[in-house]
Coordinates of all heavy atoms in Angstrom, one line a residue:
Y1 N 190.1 -56.9 119.2 CA 190.9 -57.5 120.3 C 191.3 -58.9 120.0 O 192.4 -59.3 120.2 CB 190.0 -57.5 121.6 CG 190.8 -58.0 122.7 CD1 191.9 -57.3 123.3 CD2 190.6 -59.3 123.2 CE1 192.6 -57.8 124.4 CE2 191.3 -59.8 124.3 CZ 192.4 -59.1 124.8 OH 193.1 -59.6 125.8
M2 N 190.4 -59.7 119.5 CA 190.6 -61.1 119.2 C 191.4 -61.4 117.9 O 191.9 -62.5 117.8 CB 189.4 -61.9 119.4 CG 188.8 -61.9 120.8 SD 187.3 -62.8 121.0 CE 187.8 -64.5 120.7
E3 N 191.3 -60.5 117.0 CA 191.9 -60.7 115.7 C 191.6 -62.0 115.0 O 190.4 -62.2 114.8 CB 193.4 -60.4 115.9 CG 193.8 -59.1 116.3 CD 195.3 -58.8 116.6 OE1 196.0 -59.8 116.8 OE2 195.7 -57.6 116.5
H4 N 192.6 -62.7 114.6 CA 192.4 -63.9 113.8 C 191.8 -65.0 114.6 O 191.3 -66.1 114.0 CB 193.8 -64.4 113.2 CG 194.7 -64.7 114.3 ND1 195.5 -63.8 114.8 CD2 195.1 -65.9 114.8 CE1 196.3 -64.4 115.7 NE2 196.0 -65.7 115.7
R5 N 191.7 -64.9 115.9 CA 191.1 -66.0 116.7 C 189.6 -66.0 116.6 O 188.9 -67.0 117.1 CB 191.5 -65.8 118.2 CG 193.1 -66.0 118.4 CD 193.5 -65.6 119.7 NE 193.2 -64.2 119.8 CZ 194.0 -63.3 120.6 NH1 195.0 -63.8 121.2 NH2 193.7 -62.1 120.7
L6 N 189.0 -64.9 116.1 CA 187.6 -64.8 116.1 C 187.1 -64.9 114.7 O 187.5 -64.2 113.8 CB 187.1 -63.4 116.8 CG 185.7 -63.1 116.8 CD1 184.9 -64.2 117.7 CD2 185.4 -61.6 117.2
L7 N 186.0 -65.8 114.5 CA 185.3 -65.9 113.2 C 184.0 -65.2 113.4 O 183.3 -65.5 114.3 CB 185.1 -67.3 112.8 CG 184.4 -67.6 111.6 CD1 185.0 -67.0 110.3 CD2 184.1 -69.1 111.3
V8 N 183.7 -64.2 112.6 CA 182.5 -63.5 112.6 C 181.7 -63.6 111.3 O 182.3 -63.3 110.2 CB 182.7 -61.9 112.9 CG1 181.3 -61.2 112.9 CG2 183.5 -61.8 114.2
V9 N 180.5 -64.1 111.4 CA 179.7 -64.2 110.2 C 178.4 -63.5 110.4 O 177.8 -63.4 111.5 CB 179.3 -65.7 110.0 CG1 178.3 -65.9 108.9 CG2 180.6 -66.6 109.7
Y10 N 177.9 -62.7 109.4 CA 176.7 -62.0 109.4 C 175.7 -62.8 108.5 O 176.0 -63.2 107.4 CB 176.9 -60.6 109.0 CG 175.5 -59.9 108.8 CD1 174.8 -59.5 110.0 CD2 175.1 -59.5 107.5 CE1 173.6 -58.9 109.8 CE2 173.8 -58.9 107.5 CZ 173.1 -58.6 108.6 OH 171.9 -57.9 108.5
E11 N 174.5 -63.0 109.1 CA 173.4 -63.7 108.4 C 172.4 -62.7 108.1 O 171.5 -62.3 108.9 CB 172.8 -64.8 109.2 CG 173.8 -65.9 109.6 CD 173.1 -66.9 110.5 OE1 172.1 -67.5 110.1 OE2 173.6 -67.1 111.6
P12 N 172.4 -62.1 106.8 CA 171.4 -61.0 106.5 C 169.9 -61.5 106.6 O 169.1 -60.7 107.0 CB 171.7 -60.7 105.0 CG 173.0 -61.3 104.8 CD 173.3 -62.4 105.7
E13 N 169.6 -62.7 106.2 CA 168.3 -63.2 106.3 C 167.7 -63.1 107.7 O 166.5 -62.9 108.0 CB 168.1 -64.6 105.7 CG 166.8 -65.0 105.5 CD 166.7 -66.3 104.8 OE1 167.2 -66.4 103.6 OE2 166.2 -67.3 105.3
R14 N 168.5 -63.5 108.7 CA 168.1 -63.6 110.1 C 168.5 -62.3 110.8 O 168.3 -62.1 112.0 CB 168.7 -64.7 110.7 CG 168.2 -66.0 110.3 CD 168.8 -67.2 111.0 NE 168.2 -68.4 110.6 CZ 168.8 -69.6 110.7 NH1 169.9 -69.7 111.3 NH2 168.2 -70.7 110.3
N15 N 169.3 -61.4 110.2 CA 169.8 -60.1 110.7 C 170.5 -60.4 112.0 O 170.1 -59.8 113.1 CB 168.7 -59.1 110.9 CG 169.3 -57.8 111.3 OD1 170.3 -57.3 110.7 ND2 168.5 -57.0 112.1
R16 N 171.5 -61.3 112.0 CA 172.2 -61.6 113.2 C 173.7 -61.9 112.9 O 174.1 -62.2 111.8 CB 171.6 -62.8 114.0 CG 171.8 -64.1 113.3 CD 171.2 -65.2 114.2 NE 171.6 -66.5 113.7 CZ 171.0 -67.6 114.1 NH1 170.1 -67.6 115.0 NH2 171.3 -68.8 113.6
Y17 N 174.5 -61.8 114.0 CA 175.9 -62.0 113.9 C 176.1 -63.4 114.6 O 175.5 -63.7 115.6 CB 176.8 -61.0 114.6 CG 176.7 -59.6 114.1 CD1 176.0 -58.7 114.8 CD2 177.3 -59.3 112.9 CE1 176.0 -57.3 114.2 CE2 177.3 -58.1 112.4 CZ 176.6 -57.0 113.1 OH 176.6 -55.8 112.5
D18 N 177.1 -64.1 114.1 CA 177.6 -65.4 114.7 C 179.0 -65.2 115.0 O 179.8 -65.1 114.1 CB 177.3 -66.6 113.8 CG 177.6 -67.9 114.4 OD1 178.5 -68.0 115.3 OD2 177.0 -68.9 114.1
L19 N 179.4 -65.2 116.3 CA 180.7 -65.1 116.7 C 181.2 -66.4 117.2 O 180.6 -67.0 118.1 CB 180.9 -64.0 117.8 CG 180.8 -62.5 117.5 CD1 179.3 -62.3 117.0 CD2 181.2 -61.7 118.6
S20 N 182.3 -67.0 116.6 CA 182.8 -68.3 117.1 C 184.3 -68.3 117.1 O 184.9 -67.5 116.5 CB 182.2 -69.3 116.1 OG 182.7 -69.2 114.8
S21 N 184.8 -69.3 117.8 CA 186.2 -69.6 117.9 C 186.6 -70.0 116.5 O 186.2 -71.0 115.9 CB 186.4 -70.7 118.9 OG 187.8 -71.1 118.8
F22 N 187.6 -69.3 115.9 CA 188.1 -69.7 114.6 C 188.9 -71.1 114.6 O 188.8 -71.9 113.8 CB 189.0 -68.6 114.0 CG 189.6 -69.0 112.6 CD1 188.7 -68.8 111.5 CD2 190.8 -69.5 112.4 CE1 189.1 -69.1 110.2 CE2 191.2 -69.9 111.1 CZ 190.4 -69.7 110.1
F23 N 189.6 -71.2 115.8 CA 190.4 -72.5 115.9 C 189.5 -73.5 116.6 O 188.9 -73.2 117.6 CB 191.6 -72.2 116.6 CG 192.6 -71.3 115.9 CD1 192.8 -70.1 116.4 CD2 193.2 -71.7 114.7 CE1 193.7 -69.1 115.7 CE2 194.0 -70.8 114.1 CZ 194.2 -69.5 114.5
L24 N 189.5 -74.7 116.1 CA 188.8 -75.8 116.6 C 189.4 -76.3 118.0 O 190.6 -76.3 118.1 CB 188.7 -77.0 115.7 CG 188.2 -76.6 114.3 CD1 188.2 -77.9 113.4 CD2 186.9 -76.0 114.3
G25 N 188.5 -76.5 118.9 CA 189.0 -77.0 120.2 C 189.6 -75.9 121.2 O 190.1 -76.2 122.2
H26 N 189.4 -74.6 120.7 CA 189.9 -73.5 121.6 C 188.8 -72.9 122.4 O 188.7 -71.7 122.5 CB 190.6 -72.4 120.7 CG 191.9 -73.0 120.2 ND1 193.0 -72.1 120.3 CD2 192.3 -74.1 119.7 CE1 194.0 -72.8 119.7 NE2 193.6 -74.0 119.4
N27 N 187.8 -73.7 122.8 CA 186.6 -73.3 123.4 C 186.8 -72.5 124.7 O 186.3 -71.4 124.9 CB 185.7 -74.4 123.7 CG 185.2 -75.1 122.4 OD1 185.4 -74.5 121.3 ND2 184.8 -76.4 122.6
R28 N 187.7 -73.0 125.6 CA 187.9 -72.2 126.8 C 188.5 -70.9 126.6 O 188.1 -69.9 127.2 CB 188.8 -73.0 127.8 CG 189.1 -72.3 129.1 CD 189.7 -73.2 130.2 NE 188.6 -74.0 130.7 CZ 188.6 -75.3 130.8 NH1 189.7 -75.9 130.5 NH2 187.6 -75.9 131.3
S29 N 189.5 -70.8 125.8 CA 190.2 -69.5 125.5 C 189.2 -68.6 124.8 O 189.1 -67.3 125.1 CB 191.4 -69.6 124.7 OG 191.2 -70.2 123.5
F30 N 188.3 -69.1 124.0 CA 187.3 -68.3 123.3 C 186.3 -67.7 124.4 O 186.0 -66.5 124.4 CB 186.4 -69.1 122.3 CG 185.2 -68.3 121.7 CD1 185.4 -67.5 120.7 CD2 184.0 -68.6 122.3 CE1 184.3 -66.8 120.2 CE2 182.9 -67.9 121.8 CZ 182.9 -67.0 120.8
C31 N 185.9 -68.5 125.3 CA 185.0 -68.1 126.3 C 185.6 -67.0 127.2 O 185.0 -66.0 127.5 CB 184.5 -69.2 127.2 SG 183.5 -70.4 126.3
Q32 N 186.9 -67.2 127.6 CA 187.6 -66.2 128.3 C 187.9 -64.9 127.6 O 187.7 -63.8 128.2 CB 189.0 -66.8 128.8 CG 188.8 -67.9 129.8 CD 190.1 -68.8 130.0 OE1 191.1 -68.6 129.2 NE2 190.1 -69.5 131.1
L33 N 188.2 -65.0 126.4 CA 188.4 -63.8 125.5 C 187.1 -63.0 125.3 O 187.0 -61.8 125.3 CB 189.0 -64.1 124.2 CG 190.5 -64.6 124.3 CD1 191.0 -65.2 123.0 CD2 191.4 -63.3 124.7
M34 N 186.0 -63.8 125.1 CA 184.7 -63.1 124.9 C 184.3 -62.4 126.2 O 183.7 -61.3 126.2 CB 183.7 -64.1 124.5 CG 183.8 -64.6 123.1 SD 183.8 -63.3 121.8 CE 182.2 -62.5 122.0
E35 N 184.6 -63.1 127.3 CA 184.2 -62.4 128.6 C 185.0 -61.1 128.8 O 184.5 -60.1 129.3 CB 184.4 -63.3 129.8 CG 183.8 -62.8 131.1 CD 183.6 -63.8 132.1 OE1 183.7 -65.0 131.8 OE2 183.3 -63.4 133.3
Y36 N 186.3 -61.1 128.4 CA 187.1 -59.9 128.6 C 186.6 -58.9 127.6 O 186.4 -57.7 128.0 CB 188.6 -60.2 128.2 CG 189.4 -59.0 128.2 CD1 189.9 -58.4 129.4 CD2 189.6 -58.3 127.1 CE1 190.6 -57.3 129.4 CE2 190.4 -57.0 127.0 CZ 190.8 -56.6 128.2 OH 191.5 -55.4 128.2
C37 N 186.2 -59.2 126.4 CA 185.6 -58.2 125.4 C 184.4 -57.7 126.0 O 184.2 -56.5 125.9 CB 185.4 -58.9 124.1 SG 186.9 -59.3 123.2
A38 N 183.5 -58.5 126.5 CA 182.2 -58.0 127.1 C 182.5 -57.1 128.3 O 181.8 -56.1 128.5 CB 181.4 -59.2 127.5
S39 N 183.5 -57.5 129.2 CA 183.7 -56.6 130.3 C 184.3 -55.3 130.0 O 184.1 -54.3 130.7 CB 184.6 -57.3 131.3 OG 185.9 -57.4 130.8
T40 N 185.1 -55.2 128.9 CA 185.8 -53.9 128.5 C 185.0 -53.1 127.5 O 185.3 -51.9 127.1 CB 187.1 -54.2 128.0 OG1 187.1 -55.1 126.9 CG2 188.0 -54.7 129.1
F41 N 183.9 -53.6 126.9 CA 183.1 -53.0 125.9 C 182.3 -51.8 126.5 O 181.6 -52.0 127.5 CB 182.1 -54.0 125.3 CG 181.2 -53.4 124.3 CD1 181.6 -52.8 123.1 CD2 179.8 -53.3 124.6 CE1 180.7 -52.2 122.2 CE2 178.9 -52.7 123.7 CZ 179.4 -52.2 122.5
E42 N 182.4 -50.7 125.9 CA 181.5 -49.5 126.2 C 181.0 -49.0 125.0 O 181.7 -48.7 124.0 CB 182.4 -48.4 126.9 CG 183.0 -48.8 128.2 CD 182.0 -49.1 129.2 OE1 180.9 -48.5 129.2 OE2 182.3 -50.0 130.1
F43 N 179.7 -48.9 124.9 CA 178.9 -48.3 123.7 C 178.8 -46.8 123.9 O 178.2 -46.4 124.9 CB 177.5 -49.0 123.6 CG 176.8 -48.5 122.4 CD1 177.2 -49.0 121.1 CD2 175.7 -47.8 122.6 CE1 176.5 -48.6 120.0 CE2 175.0 -47.3 121.4 CZ 175.4 -47.7 120.1
E44 N 179.2 -46.2 122.9 CA 179.2 -44.7 122.9 C 178.0 -44.3 122.0 O 178.2 -44.6 120.8 CB 180.5 -44.1 122.6 CG 181.6 -44.4 123.5 CD 182.9 -43.8 123.1 OE1 182.9 -42.8 122.3 OE2 184.0 -44.3 123.6
T45 N 177.0 -43.6 122.5 CA 175.9 -43.2 121.6 C 176.4 -41.9 120.9 O 177.2 -41.1 121.5 CB 174.7 -42.9 122.4 OG1 175.0 -42.0 123.5 CG2 174.1 -44.1 123.0
K46 N 176.2 -41.8 119.7 CA 176.5 -40.6 118.9 C 175.6 -39.6 119.1 O 174.3 -39.7 119.0 CB 176.6 -41.1 117.4 CG 177.6 -42.1 117.1 CD 177.6 -42.5 115.7 CE 178.6 -43.6 115.5 NZ 178.2 -44.8 114.9
T47 N 176.1 -38.3 119.3 CA 175.2 -37.2 119.5 C 175.5 -36.3 118.3 O 176.5 -36.2 117.8 CB 175.6 -36.4 120.8 OG1 177.0 -36.1 120.7 CG2 175.3 -37.1 122.0

């Protein structure tokens, strides 16, 4: 959804993802886009 606006880093040692705003100073839009992503996300369990 966010494409180039989202920077995603995986830290293997800590086994975690870090999602951040790729563009500096775009904090409000990052927060709004993340909230949209969270509200529309559906996890489908594989059978």
